[in-house]
Amino acid sequence: MRDKLNDLASAAAEIATADASRLAELKVSLLGRKAGKLTELLRELPTLSHEERRTLGAQANELKKKIEADIDERERTLATPSGAGADVDGSMPGRQAWRGALHPVTLVVDEICEIFRELGFSRVTGPEAETEEYNFTKLNISLDHPAADAQDTFYVGQGTLLRTHTSPMQARVMETNKPPIRVVVPGQVYRRDAFDPSHSPVFEQLEGLAVDEGLSFVDFKAAIDYFVKRFFTRDTVVRFEPSFFPFVEPGAQVQVQCVMCRGSGCSTCKQSGFLEIMGAGMVHPEVFTRCGLDAERYTGYAFGMGPQRIAMLRYRIPDIRLFFEGDMRFLGQFT
Ligand code: DAH
């Protein structure tokens, strides 16, 4: 009995260095209620003589307490981090994972297309490398117009260029679809411009075209008014000013009340209280003719806007170059 006690005491010495799974094993093999070695030993006590029972019983109980205390302590030690991880603060919030987000220009383009979808417009896209014919001639822009000048346009070959606007898609859509036509055309356009806070040699445009019998300037104004109030706020004031583009007659410039000063005049709106957001007008009869539609039968309206400029106004972004720089801190703000 005494030997067994000594054996147990040396077996118990392992507790101090045991890992978690070994510790669990030791706990069962020493203290287990059915087959634990110490339990068995205590069960033998009644068979001993009175004298032995007193001394060995006391020792066995001592050992049991010690083993229990040692196991307890080892469990606690294993539960607290030590070594390399000891200085880790478990209560610190984890590092944030980057979630990924759509580019703000994509978000704005999607939203504009969605608003026009509610008015029956479908979304289409077209080629960025265009011919002079589609980019200029079919739109009633003569090749001696300043816009056609090589100073403003990236030519990629004889008679081919990077489109300077999304308007050539008006011609492509009219040639391949029978009215009624209602399309919006987002896409990139190219101009030999500086890269500065308000210009970029490549930027986004969004063209709109509606053609039908009997469409009037009233339909055009109603569609634009609906768009502006949905995109900005319901109380945004919209203004139509006469303007000139060779492919529309009459031509207009659409302005909204300045989002910065609400019309009272500031540096953003150059004290006018209004900001230009798109060029537009009623499709010029000459454009219908050049695109194969009967100019006597059909009327239509067209408009072109710059989603980057519109995003800049809405989110008060001061510099168009931010859209191109790929800085996640900027781009991640627009989800
Ligand atoms: N294409 C013109 C530009 O790039 C914008 C524009 C003006 C488009 C009038 C239109 C329009 O459809 O009717 O400046």
Side-chain angles (χ1 to χ4, degrees):
M1 178 89 189
R2 182 152 292 145
D3 292 347
K4 280 193 189 162
L5 264 178
N6 287 337
D7 286 353
L8 270 181
S10 49
E14 203 193 329
I15 292 172
T17 53
D19 64 10
S21 67
R22 179 69 188 137
L23 189 66
E25 279 170 23
L26 284 169
K27 205 170 166 179
V28 175
S29 75
L30 296 171
L31 303 175
R33 256 209 251 158
K34 273 192 186 151
K37 288 186 188 128
L38 193 65
T39 318
E40 278 174 357
L41 203 119
L42 289 170
R43 244 182 244 137
E44 282 176 32
L45 282 176
T47 64
L48 300 176
S49 71
H50 184 69
E51 195 52 28
E52 275 182 325
R53 212 187 303 162
R54 233 172 45 133
T55 51
L56 290 179
Q59 279 178 25
N61 273 317
E62 269 313 292
L63 186 62
K64 188 181 175 205
K65 268 194 220 145
K66 183 174 174 335
I67 289 176
E68 281 171 349
D70 286 354
I71 288 180
D72 239 36
E73 197 194 317
R74 185 67 189 152
E75 279 178 345
R76 250 180 286 124
T77 313
L78 289 175
T80 29
S82 62
D87 53 355
V88 171
D89 178 354
S91 67
M92 286 264 287
R95 213 173 281 163
Q96 275 231 315
W98 171 252
R99 267 212 235 122
L102 288 177
H103 193 283
V105 174
T106 306
L107 289 171
V108 165
V109 165
D110 285 352
E111 188 176 338
I112 297 171
C113 290
E114 170 57 24
I115 295 171
F116 280 100
R117 194 188 62 78
E118 292 164 10
L119 295 173
F121 286 73
S122 351
R123 176 178 182 156
V124 296
T125 53
E128 291 180 18
E130 263 296 4
T131 61
E132 272 179 342
E133 211 191 345
Y134 279 95
N135 198 77
F136 300 123
T137 319
K138 286 184 192 261
L139 296 169
N140 199 29
I141 308 172
S142 68
L143 292 178
D144 53 21
H145 188 278
D149 199 307
Q151 290 235 308
D152 298 313
T153 304
F154 288 111
Y155 280 86
V156 291
Q158 186 63 36
T160 54
L161 43 79
L162 297 179
R163 64 180 176 190
T164 59
H165 52 179
T166 42
S167 305
M169 272 304 283
Q170 287 190 29
R172 293 190 177 275
V173 169
M174 284 192 262
E175 284 177 349
T176 49
N177 292 272
K178 276 226 279 290
I181 291 168
R182 275 185 181 74
V183 290
V184 278
V185 191
Q188 304 218 96
V189 302
Y190 301 80
R191 287 184 198 173
R192 297 179 70 143
D193 263 335
F195 195 42
D196 67 26
S198 48
H199 297 88
S200 163
V202 47
F203 59 100
E204 191 79 12
Q205 267 200 353
L206 192 139
E207 192 80 13
L209 174 71
V211 179
D212 204 347
E213 287 179 39
L215 275 184
S216 75
F217 204 83
V218 173
D219 299 297
F220 160 61
K221 282 184 79 171
I224 297 306
D225 196 63
Y226 178 82
F227 160 69
V228 168
K229 291 189 161 129
R230 282 275 278 105
F231 187 83
F232 293 98
T233 53
R234 280 178 66 181
D235 57 353
T236 304
V237 179
V238 190
R239 190 163 91 171
F240 297 80
E241 292 257 296
S243 188
F244 176 79
F245 301 94
F247 36 96
V248 282
E249 181 58 34
Q253 201 191 73
V254 179
Q255 301 176 350
V256 295
Q257 198 174 49
C258 179
V259 293
M260 304 292 176
C261 64
R262 293 250 133 227
S264 60
C266 67
S267 61
T268 302
C269 61
K270 301 202 179 78
Q271 311 307 326
S272 71
F274 280 84
L275 297 164
E276 191 223 316
I277 57 156
M278 65 177 93
M282 300 304 291
V283 178
H284 198 295
E286 185 60 29
V287 174
F288 282 138
T289 308
R290 293 187 188 191
C291 298
L293 286 182
D294 184 351
E296 294 294 321
R297 184 168 170 197
Y298 297 113
T299 52
Y301 58 84
F303 51 89
M305 61 183 118
Q308 270 127 351
R309 186 176 144 74
I310 290 184
M312 287 167 78
L313 294 176
R314 189 207 240 178
Y315 299 118
R316 301 173 188 220
I317 297 164
D319 193 319
I320 195 171
R321 291 173 296 191
L322 285 163
F323 293 122
F324 301 94
E325 281 165 359
D327 185 332
M328 303 294 236
R329 293 167 304 176
F330 168 74
L331 298 175
Q333 299 175 90
F334 301 94
T335 41

